[in-house]
Amino acid sequence: VQLQASGGGLVQAGGSLRLSCAASGRTSSNYVMGWFRQAPGKERAFVAAIRWSGGYTYYSDSVKGRFTISGENAKKTVFLQMNSLKPEDTAVYYCVAQSGVILSSVSRRDAYHNWGQGTQVTVSS
């Protein structure tokens, strides 16, 4: 599975950005797609994910209520709508995809073997 992320950029605090990630190759309805982010000097952290089967969504506490993940299964594309952005949201955002991710592992980096190239999001204060 190849993942192509886009939509990063520079925005002022309080603004919005929308990230997109398109998957190509062999996927299935059992897939979970989502986003992690890595800020300078910090570990890569879970942001949000969506399970194609059932449309269940998952969020980290730090983005809940501000970010919304959605997807178009037929197009194998996932979106991350980021509102009310804060300087602490500045990071490289990575798209992920994996089949067979159990609920307790959705936020674990090691649950995902397919990673996109990353897209930079910078929020200025």
Side-chain angles (χ1 to χ4, degrees), residues 59-60 63-68 83-84:
Y59 297 94
S60 68
V63 307
K64 199 172 294 183
R66 300 187 298 121
F67 292 10
T68 302
N83 298 329
S84 302

Side-chain angles (χ1 to χ4, degrees), residues 24-100:
S24 59
R26 189 172 183 177
T27 62
S28 71
S29 61
N30 190 34
Y31 254 64
V32 172
M33 288 187 69
W35 299 89
F36 282 71
R37 67 185 182 185
Q38 188 166 19
K42 294 188 177 180
E43 291 189 351
R44 199 168 294 188
F46 173 75
V47 177
I50 183 168
R51 188 181 300 276
W52 290 127
S53 176
Y56 298 104
T57 57
Y58 314 93
Y59 297 94
S60 68
D61 288 342
S62 62
V63 307
K64 199 172 294 183
R66 300 187 298 121
F67 292 10
T68 302
I69 190 167
S70 61
E72 295 182 13
N73 196 351
K75 296 183 178 181
K76 302 180 184 179
T77 301
V78 64
F79 306 99
L80 185 68
Q81 178 66 44
M82 305 184 294
N83 298 329
S84 302
L85 282 161
K86 304 174 181 180
E88 51 264 44
D89 294 317
T90 295
V92 177
Y93 284 69
Y94 296 91
C95 177
V96 295
Q98 189 63 44
S99 62

Side-chain angles (χ1 to χ4, degrees), residues 97-108:
Q98 189 63 44
S99 62
V101 180
I102 62 176
L103 178 59
S104 60
S105 296
V106 166
S107 62
R108 293 174 59 96

